[in-house]
C-alpha cells in the first residue's frame, strides 16, 4: 500500500447490527483528500440514514493521478477534495461526469458549483481579517490592505499558498492584472514580517505584537477558540476579533470543499444520493459543527463561533473564473517579490 494512503471503512459494525436491510446493502467508494476525521461523521451519518456502506480511500495528494492510473476499472464513485482548483483539475483530466440533480442545483449557489454539474461545493471557508481585539475596526475592504496606514502592521502566509493565490485571483477578477500588481506591491510594503507561516500564526503574531491585522481562513478561529487546537491556540484566539472583509464591488472571498462523481463510477446512483445527502440540512449541520466551515446551503446555520463574525456575503465572482486566474496571480506574486 502506498504509505500516504490510508484505507479505512466508515461502516460501523454497530450500525450494521441495527439495520436489518444491510444484508443486501448498497455500497459506495469515496476517494478523498480530506482528513478522515473530518468526513467520517458525515459518512457515518449517511450510512445510518440510508444503510449504504461507505468505503473511503484517503489520499494526502495525488488524487487525480491515482484515479487516472486506475482507468475504467477504478472503483471510485465519489472524488472529494478541498479547493475549487483541485476539483477543476479533475474535470480537466476527464475524471468526472456531469450530474443533473435538482436537489444539488437548488442547494448549492451557482457560483459554488460547476455549470455543467461536474462538481459541487459542499462547505465553505472564508478569507477573513484577524484584527487585534482592542483595535477600533469594524469593517474592511481587501483593497485597504495596500493602504499605507497599515505599513508594518500586516501579517499573511506565503503569497504562493493556494489560499492566497485564490484571493489574489479574485482580486484580478475584480480589478484586472495591472491594478492587482500595484495592490500586491502595496500589501508587501505593509507586511510586518516576511510572508510565511500558517494562518494561525497570524493570530499568534497579533498576540505577540508583531502585527495588528492578518489575512487568514475563518475555520481556524473555530478550531482555536473551541480549544481543539490546544491551550496555546486558544490564547492566540483570545487576542483577536474577526472582520469579514469584502471587495468594494463584491463580497467576501470564499473557497470550498467539494465533490464530483467519478467518470467510471460503478455505483453512480448511490454516488448521487451521497452528494444530495451532503447538502441536506442534517449534513450541512455536521459540516458546520465538525470543522467550523460555512454551510453552502442558504439558510443553514453556521457554528455559533463562526456565526459571531456576522453575516457572510459571498463574493459575486464564480469559483471557475477565480481558478482560471490563479496562474496569473501566482506570476504576479513572483513579479513583485511578495515572498522575498
Amino acid at each position: 500500500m502506498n504509505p500516504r494512503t490510508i484505507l479505512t471503512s466508515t461502516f460501523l459494525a454497530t450500525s450494521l447490527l441495527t439495520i436489518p436491510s444491510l444484508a443486501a446493502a448498497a455500497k459506495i467508494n469515496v476517494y478523498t483528500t480530506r482528513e478522515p476525521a473530518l468526513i467520517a461523521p458525515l459518512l457515518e451519518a449517511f450510512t445510518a440514514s440510508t444503510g449504504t456502506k461507505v468505503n473511503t480511500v484517503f489520499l494526502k495528494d495525488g488524487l487525480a493521478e491515482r484515479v487516472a492510473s486506475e482507468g475504467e476499472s477504478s472503483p471510485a464513485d465519489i472524488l472529494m477534495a478541498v479547493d475549487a482548483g483541485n476539483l477543476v483539475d479533475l474535470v480537466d483530466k476527464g475524471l468526472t461526469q456531469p450530474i443533473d440533480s435538482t436537489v444539488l442545483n437548488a442547494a448549492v449557489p451557482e457560483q459554488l458549483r460547476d455549470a455543467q454539474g461536474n462538481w459541487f461545493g459542499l462547505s465553505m471557508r472564508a478569507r477573513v481579517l484577524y484584527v487585534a481585539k482592542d483595535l477600533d475596526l469594524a469593517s474592511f475592504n481587501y483593497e485597504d490592505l495596500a493602504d499605507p496606514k497599515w505599513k508594518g502592521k500586516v501579517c499573511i502566509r506565503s503569497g504562493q499558498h493556494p489560499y492566497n493565490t485564490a484571493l489574489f485571483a479574485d482580486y484580478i477578477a475584480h480589478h484586472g492584472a495591472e491594478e492587482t500588481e500595484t495592490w500586491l506591491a502595496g500589501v508587501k510594503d505593509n507586511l510586518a514580517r516576511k510572508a510565511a507561516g500558517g494562518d494561525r500564526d497570524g493570530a499568534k503574531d497579533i498576540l505577540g505584537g508583531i502585527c495588528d491585522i492578518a489575512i487568514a481562513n475563518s475555520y481556524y478561529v473555530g478550531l482555536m477558540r473551541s480549544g481543539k487546537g490546544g491551550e496555546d491556540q486558544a490564547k492566540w484566539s483570545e487576542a483577536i476579533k474577526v472582520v469579514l472583509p469584502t471587495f468594494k464591488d463584491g463580497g467576501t472571498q470564499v473557497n470550498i470543499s467539494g465533490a464530483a462523481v467519478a467518470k467510471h463510477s460503478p455505483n453512480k446512483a448511490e454516488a448521487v444520493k451521497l452528494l444530495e445527502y451532503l447538502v441536506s440540512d442534517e449534513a450541512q449541520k455536521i459540516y458546520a459543527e465538525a470543522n467550523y466551515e460555512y454551510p453552502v446551503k442558504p439558510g443553514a446555520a453556521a457554528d455559533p463561533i463562526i456565526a459571531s463574525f456576522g453575516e457572510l456575503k459571498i463574493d459575486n465572482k464564480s469559483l471557475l473564473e477565480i481558478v482560471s486566474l490563479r496562474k496569473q496571480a501566482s506570476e504576479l506574486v513572483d513579479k513583485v517579490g511578495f515572498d522575498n
Side-chain angles (χ1 to χ4, degrees):
M1 179 185 294
N2 186 318
R4 293 176 301 187
T5 301
I6 300 173
L7 176 63
T8 182
S9 171
T10 61
F11 189 53
L12 299 178
T14 52
S15 297
L16 270 170
L17 295 174
T18 59
I19 305 174
S21 62
L22 280 183
K27 66 178 181 179
I28 188 171
N29 300 306
V30 175
Y31 284 23
T32 176
T33 60
R34 301 220 69 184
E35 294 182 15
L38 298 180
I39 63 166
L42 289 156
L43 301 181
E44 289 167 0
F46 174 71
T47 295
S49 174
T50 64
T52 298
K53 178 179 179 180
V54 182
N55 296 310
T56 58
V57 176
F58 171 66
L59 298 135
K60 185 177 181 180
D61 49 35
L63 172 62
E65 291 75 12
R66 167 73 175 265
V67 179
S69 68
E70 292 175 343
E72 295 183 7
S73 62
S74 174
D77 294 302
I78 291 286
L79 309 177
M80 302 183 77
V82 175
D83 191 297
N86 291 323
L87 294 165
V88 171
D89 185 51
L90 292 171
V91 178
D92 291 344
K93 287 181 167 61
L95 301 175
T96 65
Q97 59 176 298
I99 298 301
D100 183 13
S101 165
T102 54
V103 173
L104 288 164
N105 292 340
V108 184
E110 191 172 353
Q111 68 267 44
L112 303 179
R113 55 181 162 88
D114 176 52
Q116 308 306 315
N118 279 286
W119 54 265
F120 297 86
L122 301 172
S123 64
M124 297 183 293
R125 63 278 309 277
R127 207 75 181 131
V128 303
L129 192 72
Y130 295 177
V131 181
K133 67 178 181 181
D134 57 351
L135 196 64
D136 184 17
L137 184 68
S139 62
F140 197 82
N141 295 127
Y142 292 111
E143 289 86 346
D144 296 335
L145 285 168
D147 189 321
K149 70 179 285 187
W150 297 109
K151 190 172 183 62
K153 298 178 179 179
V154 178
C155 283
I156 193 169
R157 70 192 311 163
S158 166
Q160 291 293 4
H161 190 280
Y163 294 164
N164 283 334
T165 54
L167 173 62
F168 303 160
D170 203 351
Y171 202 98
I172 296 173
H174 281 278
H175 298 289
E178 186 174 350
E179 285 190 32
T180 302
E181 180 180 343
T182 301
W183 175 76
L184 276 174
V187 178
K188 176 178 171 54
D189 285 344
N190 286 344
L191 295 182
R193 56 161 169 75
K194 183 177 179 178
D199 277 5
R200 279 173 276 199
D201 287 323
K204 178 183 178 182
D205 288 344
I206 288 174
L207 175 63
I210 296 173
C211 44
D212 286 347
I213 58 176
I215 288 290
N217 274 350
S218 52
Y219 69 95
Y220 286 122
V221 180
L223 294 172
M224 291 189 291
R225 285 188 180 167
S226 67
K228 290 183 178 179
E231 293 183 4
D232 286 346
Q233 291 187 21
K235 292 177 182 176
W236 304 347
S237 72
E238 293 171 0
I240 65 167
K241 59 185 177 182
V242 174
V243 172
L244 296 177
T246 61
F247 288 99
K248 289 181 178 177
D249 61 345
T252 301
Q253 194 265 326
V254 300
N255 206 333
I256 59 167
S257 71
V261 175
K263 181 178 181 180
H264 302 295
S265 166
N267 305 292
K268 179 180 175 181
E270 297 303 323
V272 174
K273 287 181 182 176
L274 175 56
L275 288 185
E276 292 179 344
Y277 172 77
L278 292 175
V279 297
S280 68
D281 291 342
E282 180 181 68
Q284 290 287 288
K285 185 173 185 290
I286 295 173
Y287 266 118
E289 294 176 345
N291 199 33
Y292 305 100
E293 296 176 297
Y294 283 100
V296 295
K297 187 175 185 178
D303 180 89
I305 293 175
I306 304 302
S308 70
F309 303 161
E311 184 178 358
L312 175 68
K313 177 186 176 185
I314 302 172
D315 191 41
N316 51 14
K317 300 299 182 182
S318 77
L319 292 178
L320 200 60
E321 180 182 9
I322 293 169
V323 169
S324 73
L325 294 169
R326 276 189 165 184
K327 182 174 184 293
Q328 191 173 21
S330 175
E331 291 170 351
L332 290 179
V333 167
D334 284 341
K335 188 174 182 179
V336 304
F338 194 86
D339 288 349
N340 297 340

